[in-house]
Amino acid sequence: MSLLSTPSHRPPIEHPSPAMEAIESSNMLTNIEGSSFEEIMKERNRIRKEREEYNIAELKVQIVRLEDALAAETKRRVDATTQLDNVAREQIYEMEERLRNQLVEDNEKLQKRITSLEDRLQQLEERWSLDANKQMDSIAHKAQEFTKSLEKVQQEQDVERKARLRREGSLLQQVEHHAKEFEDRWNAERQDRLD
């Protein structure tokens, strides 16, 4: 319902009907019969002015009623807005409290997880250090074994090289000996043919 609408319990403004105006005019004319035209016009103007003043008074009453209704509705709206604002503030405060508590709880869980991860990281670092030391020891041991094996291989290669050189020298001497024998036989046969 609009604030400016007239409530149903307020009586409507009553305006004189044309018939009532005609009766009033005839009564007036009857009462002032024999009066001059100017007096009749003055009387009519007086009656019209009274009627207009009455209508204005009625309008003022209606305006006052509307203003009262508007003020009451405005107060009701202001009260409702204030109440709604208070409810909203309470809900926002409750929500902030829930969020704050949730953040605190989440932060505590996160701190616990961080602490647990730090402990696991420390354990992993210690285990890695032990494994690294073992690996270094193993690598050093294998390096020593590899060095010994390499020295052994080198020694075997030296022995093999010396033996090969001896064999090659022996083979070379045999080849030279056979070559000399073959050359001597060749020369002897050639000499025999020449002779």
Side-chain angles (χ1 to χ4, degrees), residues 24 28 43-51:
E24 288 178 359
M28 179 196 65
E43 186 64 20
R44 283 186 176 180
N45 287 335
R46 184 185 63 78
I47 294 172
R48 183 172 50 79
K49 190 177 290 184
E50 288 178 356
R51 188 164 52 244

Side-chain angles (χ1 to χ4, degrees), residues 104-155:
V104 170
E105 184 178 351
D106 292 343
N107 189 34
E108 290 177 353
K109 290 180 180 179
L110 182 61
Q111 289 297 327
K112 289 180 181 178
R113 291 183 64 185
I114 290 173
T115 303
S116 176
L117 288 174
E118 288 177 347
D119 293 339
R120 290 181 61 186
L121 182 61
Q122 182 68 27
Q123 293 175 0
L124 288 173
E125 287 179 351
E126 292 175 356
R127 186 179 302 171
W128 180 85
S129 179
L130 292 174
D131 292 341
N133 291 331
K134 288 180 180 179
Q135 290 294 330
M136 292 298 294
D137 293 340
S138 176
I139 290 171
H141 180 68
K142 288 181 179 180
Q144 290 177 357
E145 291 180 352
F146 178 75
T147 301
K148 291 179 180 179
S149 298
L150 184 61
E151 289 176 354
K152 184 178 180 181
V153 169
Q154 288 176 346
Q155 290 175 359

Side-chain angles (χ1 to χ4, degrees), residues 66-78:
L66 289 174
E67 288 177 347
D68 292 341
L70 179 61
E73 182 65 18
T74 302
K75 184 179 182 304
R76 188 186 69 79
R77 294 282 179 94
V78 169

Side-chain angles (χ1 to χ4, degrees), residues 155-170:
Q155 290 175 359
E156 291 175 353
Q157 286 179 349
D158 289 340
V159 172
E160 179 67 24
R161 183 171 54 82
K162 290 177 181 178
R164 188 176 70 251
L165 290 174
R166 284 195 300 269
R167 286 194 303 271
E168 289 176 355
S170 176

Side-chain angles (χ1 to χ4, degrees), residues 11 18 36 39 41 44 72 83-84 87 94 96-97 116 121 123 128 141 145:
S36 66
E39 291 175 349
M41 291 304 295
R44 283 186 176 180
Q83 184 178 2
L84 182 62
V87 171
E94 292 175 357
E96 288 177 348
E97 283 296 317
S116 176
L121 182 61
Q123 293 175 0
W128 180 85
H141 180 68
E145 291 180 352

